[in-house]
Amino acid sequence: MTKTRSPIRSNVGLKAVMAVTGIILVLFLIAHMLGNLKIFTGETSFDHYAHWLRDIGTPLLPTTWFLWIQRTVLTVAVLGHIGAATLLAMRSRAARPVRYAHRRKIHVNYAARTMRWGGVIILLFVIYHILDLTTGHLNPQGDPANPYGNVVADFAPERWYVTLFYTLALVTLGFHLRHGAFSAFRSLGQQTPKGERRARIAALVFAVALVGGYLLVPFAVITGLVS
């Protein structure tokens, strides 16, 4: 008897895993960006928001449990996203062992060519970001009782290299999101030339808006708008 491959391990199943995990991660990015923008409402309001995150679900859940549940879901989503992308890339390469003599230009733009390396850069940035503003190990202040002060200390003018790294990582994320969103719109049926143009514009607007929302905070700090 021949073994039947699990549907989730088929190419369609892996693409579905990438889509679902991608949606989870994008929803988190949107919520996280909106939370970051509360820094413009002042130190008291921002610190209250940060402490509120630790109390979500209480008294039903113990303090910080919601955050740990969220981190667990996000970790599974990241691993699932990377794992599915890796398997699909390996299968694609195995199915085409001989390279094209002339590389096709269709859909081979900068974002598509750097999708995999962009994922690696983003993963490394996430690790650094957690050690910086979550655990505080790489933050110059690292005070869990003062999240506002941690952000201001992190993006201080003399730490311009942190802002530069943050910017480069977010621009990479923008390319990743633009390509991913465009692919998602195509999968939803935007196959006509007019539909593809709309999909490209929508994906670009979404990526620019999200990246711009995140970059507002470090640039506000480094320019003194937030201090």
Side-chain angles (χ1 to χ4, degrees):
M1 295 179 65
T2 57
K3 293 183 178 180
T4 302
R5 176 182 289 177
S6 170
I8 202 171
R9 297 188 62 186
S10 66
N11 286 353
V12 174
L14 290 174
K15 288 180 180 179
V17 170
M18 285 196 67
V20 172
T21 55
I23 290 172
I24 292 173
L25 295 172
V26 167
L27 290 176
F28 168 76
L29 286 172
I30 294 173
H32 189 45
M33 179 201 70
L34 294 175
N36 286 353
L37 293 178
K38 286 189 69 66
I39 200 167
F40 293 103
T41 62
E43 181 174 0
T44 301
S45 178
F46 184 77
D47 283 351
H48 180 269
Y49 161 73
H51 293 306
W52 169 77
L53 290 175
R54 303 172 188 173
D55 296 330
I56 294 179
T58 57
L60 181 63
L61 296 175
T63 303
T64 74
W65 270 43
F66 174 82
L67 284 178
W68 282 107
I69 292 172
Q70 180 189 77
R71 290 164 184 165
T72 301
V73 171
L74 290 174
T75 300
V76 172
V78 168
L79 294 177
H81 200 75
I82 294 174
T86 302
L87 284 174
L88 285 171
M90 292 172 61
R91 289 179 185 176
S92 177
R93 186 172 299 177
R96 182 172 51 85
V98 179
R99 294 180 179 273
Y100 294 115
H102 298 286
R103 199 172 188 180
R104 295 180 301 175
K105 293 184 179 180
I106 301 176
H107 304 313
V108 187
N109 51 29
Y110 178 80
R113 289 197 302 268
T114 59
M115 196 68 171
R116 298 183 192 110
W117 279 112
V120 174
I121 294 172
I122 294 167
L123 178 61
L124 293 176
F125 168 72
V126 168
I127 294 172
Y128 169 81
H129 192 57
I130 290 173
L131 293 174
D132 181 17
L133 290 173
T134 300
T135 67
H137 288 86
L138 298 181
N139 188 273
Q141 178 170 288
D143 182 4
N146 187 12
Y148 181 96
N150 292 340
V151 173
V152 172
D154 197 38
F155 298 115
E158 62 272 16
R159 286 170 56 85
W160 58 268
Y161 49 89
V162 173
T163 301
L164 177 61
F165 176 50
Y166 193 84
T167 302
L168 292 176
L170 283 170
V171 169
T172 302
L173 174 64
F175 280 113
H176 198 86
L177 287 172
R178 187 190 69 168
H179 183 72
F182 172 68
S183 299
F185 288 136
R186 279 177 53 84
S187 299
L188 291 173
Q190 298 291 349
Q191 300 291 339
T192 64
K194 186 176 181 179
E196 285 202 3
R197 285 195 297 271
R198 289 178 175 175
R200 289 184 187 279
I201 293 173
L204 178 61
V205 170
F206 170 70
V208 170
L210 194 67
V211 172
Y214 273 102
L215 288 179
L216 280 175
V217 175
F219 280 98
V221 174
I222 202 170
T223 58
L225 181 61
V226 172
S227 60

